[in-house]
Amino acid sequence: MSEHTQAQVKLDLDDIQRGVLSPRPTPYAATYILFRIDDREHGRELMRRVSAVVTSAADTVSPLGETWVSVALTYHGLKALGVPDESLDTFAWEFRQGMAARAATLSDIGESSPENWEPPLGTPDVHVALVALAPDSARLEAAIDRARPAYDALTGVTAIWRQNCHALPTETEPFGYRDGISHPAVEGSGIAGSNRLEAPLKAGEFVLGYPDELGGVQTPQPDVLGRNGTYVAFRKLHQRVGAFRRYLRDNATGPEDEELLAAKIMGRWRSGAPLALSPSHDDPGLDADPYRNSFLYQQDDPAGFITPGGSHIRRGNPRDAAVAGVPRLHRMIRRGTVYGPPLPEGILEDDGADRGLMFAFIGAHLGRQFEFVQSEWMNDGVFFGSGDAKDPILGSRDGSGDFIVPRRPVRRRLCSLPQFVVTRGGEYCFMPGLTALRWLGDLTD
């Protein structure tokens, strides 16, 4: 079925930025650089220059050799370039508002509220986001050094923020879990999904200008600007690694139970092996299995005795589980990139260093994909019959939340979960196609 469907869909891969559909290489170093546009003509020249180095989804080699570049713009960035109001009004309203204005919906409250964000994140000064990846930090810095004269010469464009990131040799995120395992198949992309039991999703779920799962086509206007673009939500998430380790230690009966609790909270063991395929112990050998992400819930684990309904990965993608709503309408392409130094093994107190994850969502529907998952699945439990319970990893809480581990004869309750992850900032962006980048560069007043 999927092969027949894929044959019917033709994506303009040579016009879609590579960062939209292609999983990141490993290992790699990455950097996020944000720019403010003070001079419209210089901003347009920046678009012309980056359009020559951004890699398309059809490219196997980057114009910059071993460095891959993606670029996206905020609503204020499009305005700064002089995109007409009648065009701006056709973009998703969540994008037009910006992430900071959506804080209540996203549960960015308390420590995570925008007034506590790292400047200039969440402000109208953020116009352009450029992401560059290379095999290691030395080659990344060399590429940035080569590119710097190109934007330093544009005095009307200023680099105002930078965050360096890297993939750890273990391919884990700061809490110690293997990351980047799950990604959906997109019709016409030619890239296999990680779950062979999941049918490819319609291209319009992730790329603007194509039919989505509901048969609709979302395309900001004019078509030359909107088609082959997508929306990106990026967030800087600070992780309290010491607090997470200490909570596991304090609530476990011993080292083996500590690892079991960690697996129940995430839905996977530290190696990335899913509880669904290895319920009682970690199985690092599954890493070599191309089908290690091919599992469902409804037939084998409807009540969550193996993978708790409230675990992080089951909330983020309930697969075929009986939940309120249609999970296929809320699928996301997700990228996570580590920043900051690792906390040494065995340390149970956070040392004050800034460490965590640069999270990026990619999809054509900010509202029913990213915002829905964040508000309804991560920060509520009604969808699977668990009241107001929140995600044990990402949930916004005041130290009073619980996490239930279904178990016979008596379920296990973890009480008073602290806040393990704090939002340090973020932005909603539009990632244009390559033709659209050139169109933005050719705008005139």
Side-chain angles (χ1 to χ4, degrees):
M1 174 183 170
S2 61
E3 290 180 0
H4 174 69
T5 308
Q6 290 229 16
Q8 293 178 321
V9 178
K10 188 177 189 309
L11 285 175
D12 299 327
L13 295 175
D14 58 353
D15 195 47
I16 299 168
Q17 292 197 44
R18 183 178 177 85
V20 175
L21 298 170
S22 301
R24 289 174 175 171
T26 299
Y28 66 86
T31 193
Y32 283 74
I33 304 176
L34 303 182
F35 296 90
R36 185 185 68 240
I37 298 170
D38 297 312
D39 181 283
R40 185 169 288 178
E41 285 306 319
H42 285 193
R44 292 167 179 171
E45 177 60 26
L46 179 66
M47 293 300 102
R48 289 193 287 271
R49 293 184 184 186
V50 297
S51 70
V53 298
V54 167
T55 318
S56 83
D59 293 331
T60 55
V61 178
S62 166
L64 297 178
E66 293 179 300
T67 305
W68 305 79
V69 174
S70 298
V71 67
L73 299 101
T74 65
Y75 173 73
H76 292 289
L78 293 176
K79 286 186 72 171
L81 291 175
V83 175
D85 287 344
E86 56 267 28
S87 174
L88 293 171
D89 290 345
T90 65
F91 282 82
W93 67 280
E94 299 93 348
F95 167 73
R96 301 199 306 268
Q97 284 191 302
M99 187 180 288
R102 307 292 299 156
T105 297
L106 299 173
S107 292
D108 284 333
I109 56 177
E111 293 178 276
S112 293
S113 62
E115 62 261 30
N116 297 321
W117 286 4
E118 187 176 311
L121 300 176
T123 72
D125 282 347
V126 179
H127 294 162
V128 179
L130 184 144
V131 185
L133 290 87
D136 54 54
S137 296
R139 279 177 278 192
L140 178 64
E141 287 305 315
I144 297 296
D145 287 343
R146 289 195 302 271
R148 187 171 284 112
Y151 64 78
D152 279 351
L154 299 173
T155 55
V157 176
T158 305
I160 58 173
W161 186 84
R162 180 174 174 182
Q163 179 65 62
N164 290 333
C165 308
H166 52 273
L168 296 172
T170 53
E171 295 186 42
T172 59
E173 49 72 56
F175 289 145
Y177 297 93
R178 180 74 181 269
D179 200 19
I181 292 171
S182 180
H183 60 271
V186 181
E187 285 186 2
S189 70
I191 300 170
S194 59
N195 184 359
R196 62 192 173 98
L197 302 177
E198 179 183 48
L201 286 110
K202 298 293 185 187
E205 290 296 304
F206 305 104
V207 185
L208 296 163
Y210 300 86
D212 60 24
E213 288 286 320
L214 296 174
V217 178
Q218 309 296 318
T219 316
Q221 296 300 305
D223 193 75
V224 66
L225 173 61
R227 184 174 172 83
N228 294 319
T230 192
Y231 293 111
V232 178
F234 79 80
R235 288 160 77 75
K236 182 176 181 178
L237 302 175
H238 172 72
Q239 294 178 242
R240 291 172 170 159
V241 179
F244 183 71
R245 292 175 181 171
R246 189 170 63 252
Y247 186 84
L248 292 175
R249 180 73 54 87
D250 290 347
N251 288 274
T253 58
E256 286 189 12
D257 189 52
E258 193 174 325
E259 287 307 301
L260 178 62
L261 280 184
K264 290 292 186 179
I265 284 172
M266 179 61 69
R268 295 184 187 275
W269 299 91
R270 307 274 195 169
S271 71
L275 284 168
L277 299 182
S278 187
S280 59
H281 59 85
D282 199 353
D283 184 2
L286 278 175
D287 185 49
D289 186 344
Y291 300 130
R292 70 184 186 278
N293 197 47
S294 296
F295 59 88
L296 300 172
Y297 296 123
Q298 190 56 32
Q299 181 174 334
D300 299 326
D301 189 26
F305 284 106
I306 300 172
T307 308
S311 64
H312 181 68
I313 71 164
R314 190 156 171 168
R315 281 175 172 270
N317 179 15
R319 303 189 185 220
D320 67 333
V323 299
V326 181
R328 283 180 68 82
L329 297 181
H330 311 297
R331 293 289 276 122
M332 305 190 298
I333 291 176
R334 172 196 173 280
R335 310 260 191 262
T337 316
V338 174
Y339 75 86
L343 186 67
E345 285 298 322
I347 302 298
L348 303 182
E349 297 292 334
D350 286 297
D351 57 5
D354 189 16
R355 62 176 58 85
L357 205 68
M358 285 296 293
F359 166 90
F361 149 87
I362 295 168
H365 302 275
L366 282 169
R368 71 165 166 84
Q369 290 172 321
F370 174 67
E371 290 199 351
F372 180 92
V373 170
Q374 187 71 15
S375 62
E376 304 300 322
W377 287 357
M378 292 295 155
N379 283 289
D380 205 349
V382 170
F383 75 102
F384 71 101
S386 195
D388 61 357
K390 302 177 188 300
D391 182 88
I393 300 285
L394 283 181
S396 175
R397 59 176 61 85
D398 57 7
S400 62
D402 294 348
F403 176 69
I404 301 299
V405 180
R407 190 176 62 171
R408 293 185 178 94
V410 180
R411 66 185 184 175
R412 185 174 187 176
R413 181 190 294 271
L414 300 180
C415 300
S416 305
L417 272 78
Q419 186 82 42
F420 295 126
V421 176
V422 177
T423 305
R424 287 282 167 86
E427 296 289 345
Y428 283 159
C429 296
F430 168 64
M431 184 175 282
L434 273 67
T435 300
L437 281 174
R438 292 188 286 270
W439 182 85
L440 289 168
D442 291 339
L443 281 171
T444 56
D445 292 330

